[in-house]
Amino acid sequence: MTAPALEIVHLVKHFGGIPATQDVSLKIMPGERRLIIGPNGAGKTTLFNQITGDFRPTSGKILLFGQDVTRLTPHARAHLGLSRTYQIITLFPQDSVAHNVVLGLMGLKGARWNMFRPLGFYAELHAEARHMLDRVGLGALAEARVGEIAYGQKRRLEIAMALAQKPRLLLLDEPLAGLSSEERATIKQLIAAIPRDTTVIMIEHDMDTALDLAETVTLLHYGRVLVDGPRDAVIADPKTREVYLGH
Ligand SMILES: Nc1ncnc2c1ncn2[C@@H]1O[C@H](COP(=O)(O)OP(=O)(O)OP(=O)(O)O)[C@@H](O)[C@H]1O
Ligand SMILES: [Mg+2]
């Protein structure tokens, strides 16, 4: 039997006694496209932070591809094929677009600048970065400083960086936030083109765009899973209408 890409078991996270994740259990299968929705403060990003290891849960378990990673570092989880984007942009604005991608790749490979490494190693990383930028339509901006490119291009770059790591599980935290409808369409295309051997979990408030990309949906509310299942069933559920759609 195939192990789930992600399994979360009775996860609890308190911030100074205030619960942000309350007994969350989830199972996401390889290749699945899962959308996580819920009002502001529902605990969506906090859940991502525990999956990546940025936050240590108060209790509960997280399994990646059948392996218990609850006590593993973020770096170790990245090595198991986990990659993410952040709700707030985390790029280096002074560096070039291509160099940001290279730094991302080096971070994963644990490769600090090392004079004993063959030069070909860095050339290879650069070639990989270029290839990825071409793929997402940012090739012409490879040498531009990140601080000077448009917001929508930065968001695209972040997704490109996450994809450059060839993740088996990709977490996207509000990839469409703050974008024009044109930029949203570009990002939507980019996400839709992600190969099936990458499982995708996306947090998003823009339901119009995100629902098209989702097969399954989880509704979080006050840190709890309120509704969970196939997209259309979750959307039709009266609890979803009540909490999220406001009618
Ligand atoms: N580092 C932290 N320290 C203390 N409290 C936190 C921390 N991070 C999140 N919280 C709290 O946890 C709760 C859930 O926050 P979280 O950011 O996960 O919500 P969200 O569902 O991602 O919301 P949004 O849609 O606004 O991004 C909130 O009450 C928030 O204030
Ligand atoms: Mg959030």
Side-chain angles (χ1 to χ4, degrees), residues 44-46 87 173-174 203 205:
K44 304 180 297 296
T45 300
T46 299
Q87 190 168 354
D173 196 349
E174 298 199 31
I203 296 172
H205 285 290

Side-chain angles (χ1 to χ4, degrees), residues 156-188:
R156 208 171 346 147
L157 173 58
E158 287 187 317
I159 297 174
M161 287 173 64
L163 286 173
Q165 306 186 355
K166 301 186 183 72
R168 294 165 76 200
L169 175 60
L170 175 63
L171 310 179
L172 301 169
D173 196 349
E174 298 199 31
L176 304 165
L179 299 183
S180 69
S181 63
E182 205 174 300
E183 289 165 332
R184 279 202 300 274
T186 309
I187 299 280
K188 184 181 173 183

Side-chain angles (χ1 to χ4, degrees), residues 131-141 153 156 160 186 190:
H131 175 74
M132 180 48 71
L133 289 171
D134 285 339
R135 204 177 117 188
V136 300
L138 292 174
L141 290 172
Q153 291 167 333
R156 208 171 346 147
T186 309
L190 179 58

Side-chain angles (χ1 to χ4, degrees), residues 85-146:
T85 64
Y86 287 85
Q87 190 168 354
I88 296 162
I89 283 176
T90 56
L91 300 165
F92 298 109
Q94 303 298 332
D95 279 319
S96 74
V97 167
H99 198 236
N100 267 266
V101 181
V102 169
L103 288 174
L105 291 169
M106 281 170 63
L108 180 72
K109 294 180 178 163
R112 290 210 189 84
W113 177 259
N114 178 340
M115 63 189 290
F116 299 110
R117 270 183 199 285
L119 268 179
F121 176 78
Y122 297 101
E124 240 172 63
L125 286 185
H126 250 283
E128 216 175 311
R130 286 293 187 143
H131 175 74
M132 180 48 71
L133 289 171
D134 285 339
R135 204 177 117 188
V136 300
L138 292 174
L141 290 172
E143 296 312 320
R145 280 199 321 129
V146 162

